[in-house]
Amino acid sequence: MNDAERAVLDLRAMDELESMDSPLHRLSPLSKFTVTAVYIALTASFGRYDLTGLLFMVIFPLIGYQLAMIPVRTCFSRLKGVLPLVAAVGVLNPFFDRNVLFRIGGIAVTGGVVSMLTLMMKGVFCLMASFLLMATTAVDELCRDLRKLHFPKMLASLILLTFRYTSVLTDEVAAMTQAYSLRAPGQKGIHISVWGTFLGQLLLRTMDRADDLYDAMVLRGFNGEFHYAGGRKSSRWSWPAAALSCAAIVAARLVNVPALLGSLFI
Amino acid sequence: MIGFENVGYAYPGGSPVLDGITFEVSDGEKVGLVGANGAGKSTLLKCVPGLLEASGIITVSGLRVSRENIAEIRRKVGFVLQDPDNQMFMPKVIDDMIFGPVNYGSTREEAEEQADSVLRGLGIPHLRDRYNHRISGGEKRMAAIATVLAMRPDVMLMDEPSSSLDPRNRRALINTLSGLDKTMIIASHDLDMILDLCPRVILLDHGTLIADGETAGILRDRELLESHGLELPLSLSGQKGI
Ligand SMILES: Nc1ncnc2c1ncn2[C@@H]1O[C@H](COP(=O)(O)OP(=O)(O)OP(=O)(O)O)[C@@H](O)[C@H]1O
Ligand SMILES: [Mg+2]
């Protein structure tokens, strides 16, 4: 199995995570969406030197994974392809921002190092939160609920199709790299000389398949509404739970909890 | 009833792949569509629910295929695509099967009941709760046909329904289809299935209609078939196997 194929299986397996059952799975899609959006917005808004305050934010996704009964490591193993990209953000900061913020032992910690860390943490935390949302919520149900709030049909369909097409794209990459490696034994990856044609082909094939898929949906009566979505009944605790979580997240943003705890004990 | 009158089609920027196709299929009739690779079978089928915009006139139950009528026509027409991978887009087989009926106003319970009876009819109730990406090619083919049957269309268009099926599933499919009193056009290279299912057959070559008539007559005509890139069906060639 090549990397691309594994990626497809991983992506497809989201469906399986999503159809599990847990307290978190039973919450209404929109309430989870709201909490995730609030979490991401507030996490991103931390100042770049606010390491300790930001650190505390990890508690929310961690609790979420517990409630969803999904091991946190699933998120990291599924997303290991994206993690380096997230981590790469800000690696240059230490070179630009060299003023010393504090010292640990004899070592000077510069603003650049701290801001690099906060950037990485923001990326990873937001990724954890988005993955949790995807793993516990069916995209069709989410779109249906957005439509109920008069969210534009176009945009709701767009969210759905983007999700569907991602798997088409990875499918095609898997099929093509497999075909390639069968005829280029012993080669690692795709030789740079064929990248151009490979990408061109990939685009054409993906578009063809996306067309067919869309046709198949339209032929079965899809017109941008999501009547078919969702067998699951949302728990009536959805919105109270969402309100509580949002309040906790806002509080954690406003109050530096680690500093507060520290001051209590010192 | 489905009518084709002087139907033509050319893919954007290409030469015509369908030209002057004229024939009619009456209600409840089962018609086989045969022809070599690239003859234009899939293209012709895709013109009926307006997935491709053909020249000439196509009618379904008296409605002309056009922008105004397209929603009503699509509601009547069930289409099994040549590639089942492109037909299934929901996580599980059952989700896919209720997608169409629920869009058309059935309740979830009705749709599931209907889906279950289709699955039983095809002999594949075990596929109900399987994930689409974890079933075999042939299983996916059966499931794709099931999703279309579950919509109870008046007209069924099928592109290679029997390809990649094992003998037992192929037989189950033939039995199911022959028991259905619906208008059908079945494009296939499985001439033996056509012989079993369709009293009438249409032969295409390079986008033109070569022959239209009784299946037994046309599929027995070795010369005609061979001059258009086909061979006698096994059951008529007197050979057992190849
Ligand atoms: N998307 C496309 N763009 C351009 N030309 C196409 C496209 N699809 C098919 N064709 C061409 O149209 C012609 C008819 O193709 P079609 O798919 O209808 O054949 P078919 O009879 O279904 O063949 P098969 O038995 O292989 O499925 C072929 O010559 C093919 O090359
Ligand atoms: Mg074809």
Short mmCIF file of all heavy atoms in Angstrom, two decimals, chain B residues 11 17 36-43 82 160 189, ligand 1:
data_model
loop_
_atom_site.label_atom_id
_atom_site.label_comp_id
_atom_site.label_asym_id
_atom_site.label_seq_id
_atom_site.Cartn_x
_atom_site.Cartn_y
_atom_site.Cartn_z
N TYR B 11 -18.93 15.57 -28.39
CA TYR B 11 -18.30 16.11 -27.18
C TYR B 11 -17.65 17.43 -27.54
O TYR B 11 -17.21 17.60 -28.68
CB TYR B 11 -17.28 15.12 -26.61
CG TYR B 11 -17.94 13.97 -25.88
CD1 TYR B 11 -18.16 12.76 -26.51
CD2 TYR B 11 -18.37 14.13 -24.56
CE1 TYR B 11 -18.79 11.71 -25.84
CE2 TYR B 11 -19.00 13.10 -23.90
CZ TYR B 11 -19.20 11.89 -24.53
OH TYR B 11 -19.83 10.88 -23.87
N VAL B 17 -20.16 11.88 -32.13
CA VAL B 17 -20.07 10.48 -31.72
C VAL B 17 -21.45 9.82 -31.79
O VAL B 17 -21.57 8.61 -31.60
CB VAL B 17 -19.49 10.32 -30.30
CG1 VAL B 17 -18.04 10.77 -30.28
CG2 VAL B 17 -20.28 11.09 -29.28
N ALA B 36 -19.60 -2.13 -30.32
CA ALA B 36 -18.22 -2.25 -29.86
C ALA B 36 -17.85 -1.12 -28.90
O ALA B 36 -18.62 -0.17 -28.75
CB ALA B 36 -17.28 -2.23 -31.07
N ASN B 37 -16.68 -1.21 -28.28
CA ASN B 37 -16.20 -0.12 -27.42
C ASN B 37 -16.15 1.18 -28.22
O ASN B 37 -15.68 1.19 -29.35
CB ASN B 37 -14.78 -0.42 -26.91
CG ASN B 37 -14.74 -1.53 -25.88
OD1 ASN B 37 -13.90 -2.40 -25.95
ND2 ASN B 37 -15.67 -1.51 -24.95
N GLY B 38 -16.66 2.23 -27.63
CA GLY B 38 -16.62 3.53 -28.32
C GLY B 38 -17.74 3.72 -29.33
O GLY B 38 -17.75 4.71 -30.05
N ALA B 39 -18.69 2.80 -29.40
CA ALA B 39 -19.77 2.90 -30.39
C ALA B 39 -20.71 4.06 -30.07
O ALA B 39 -21.35 4.61 -30.96
CB ALA B 39 -20.55 1.59 -30.45
N GLY B 40 -20.79 4.43 -28.80
CA GLY B 40 -21.66 5.55 -28.43
C GLY B 40 -22.79 5.16 -27.50
O GLY B 40 -23.72 5.94 -27.28
N LYS B 41 -22.73 3.96 -26.93
CA LYS B 41 -23.82 3.49 -26.07
C LYS B 41 -23.98 4.37 -24.83
O LYS B 41 -25.08 4.84 -24.53
CB LYS B 41 -23.57 2.03 -25.63
CG LYS B 41 -23.37 1.05 -26.76
CD LYS B 41 -23.10 -0.35 -26.27
CE LYS B 41 -21.80 -0.51 -25.48
NZ LYS B 41 -20.58 -0.29 -26.26
N SER B 42 -22.87 4.57 -24.11
CA SER B 42 -22.97 5.38 -22.88
C SER B 42 -23.41 6.79 -23.21
O SER B 42 -24.22 7.39 -22.49
CB SER B 42 -21.61 5.44 -22.18
OG SER B 42 -21.18 4.16 -21.84
N THR B 43 -22.87 7.33 -24.28
CA THR B 43 -23.23 8.69 -24.67
C THR B 43 -24.73 8.80 -24.93
O THR B 43 -25.39 9.73 -24.45
CB THR B 43 -22.43 9.09 -25.93
OG1 THR B 43 -21.06 8.84 -25.70
CG2 THR B 43 -22.64 10.55 -26.26
N GLN B 82 -21.97 3.47 -15.79
CA GLN B 82 -21.03 2.42 -16.15
C GLN B 82 -20.05 2.12 -15.01
O GLN B 82 -19.68 0.98 -14.80
CB GLN B 82 -20.27 2.83 -17.42
CG GLN B 82 -19.34 1.76 -17.95
CD GLN B 82 -18.98 1.98 -19.41
OE1 GLN B 82 -19.39 2.93 -20.05
NE2 GLN B 82 -18.20 1.07 -19.95
N GLU B 160 -23.91 -1.27 -18.77
CA GLU B 160 -23.11 -2.42 -18.35
C GLU B 160 -23.48 -2.94 -16.97
O GLU B 160 -22.61 -3.09 -16.11
CB GLU B 160 -21.62 -2.03 -18.28
CG GLU B 160 -21.05 -1.50 -19.55
CD GLU B 160 -20.80 -2.58 -20.56
OE1 GLU B 160 -21.07 -3.77 -20.23
OE2 GLU B 160 -20.38 -2.26 -21.65
N HIS B 189 -22.12 -5.47 -23.13
CA HIS B 189 -21.36 -6.40 -23.97
C HIS B 189 -21.73 -7.83 -23.62
O HIS B 189 -21.24 -8.76 -24.24
CB HIS B 189 -19.86 -6.19 -23.75
CG HIS B 189 -19.40 -4.83 -24.16
ND1 HIS B 189 -19.37 -4.43 -25.47
CD2 HIS B 189 -18.99 -3.77 -23.44
CE1 HIS B 189 -18.94 -3.18 -25.53
NE2 HIS B 189 -18.72 -2.75 -24.30
N1 LIG C 1 -15.84 12.74 -22.15
C1 LIG C 1 -15.57 12.51 -23.45
N2 LIG C 1 -14.96 13.46 -24.20
C2 LIG C 1 -14.69 13.25 -25.50
N3 LIG C 1 -14.99 12.13 -26.17
C3 LIG C 1 -15.58 11.14 -25.48
C4 LIG C 1 -15.90 11.28 -24.09
N4 LIG C 1 -16.50 10.14 -23.68
C5 LIG C 1 -16.54 9.35 -24.75
N5 LIG C 1 -16.00 9.94 -25.83
C6 LIG C 1 -15.90 9.36 -27.19
O1 LIG C 1 -17.22 9.14 -27.65
C7 LIG C 1 -17.30 7.93 -28.33
C8 LIG C 1 -18.44 7.10 -27.74
O2 LIG C 1 -18.12 6.80 -26.39
P1 LIG C 1 -19.09 5.99 -25.43
O3 LIG C 1 -18.54 6.09 -24.07
O4 LIG C 1 -20.45 6.44 -25.67
O5 LIG C 1 -18.89 4.52 -26.02
P2 LIG C 1 -19.51 3.16 -25.48
O6 LIG C 1 -20.28 2.57 -26.62
O7 LIG C 1 -20.20 3.36 -24.21
O8 LIG C 1 -18.19 2.30 -25.28
P3 LIG C 1 -17.85 1.18 -24.16
O9 LIG C 1 -18.44 -0.08 -24.63
O10 LIG C 1 -16.38 1.14 -24.19
O11 LIG C 1 -18.41 1.66 -22.87
C9 LIG C 1 -15.95 7.25 -28.23
O12 LIG C 1 -15.30 7.41 -29.48
C10 LIG C 1 -15.24 8.01 -27.17
O13 LIG C 1 -13.88 8.11 -27.49
#
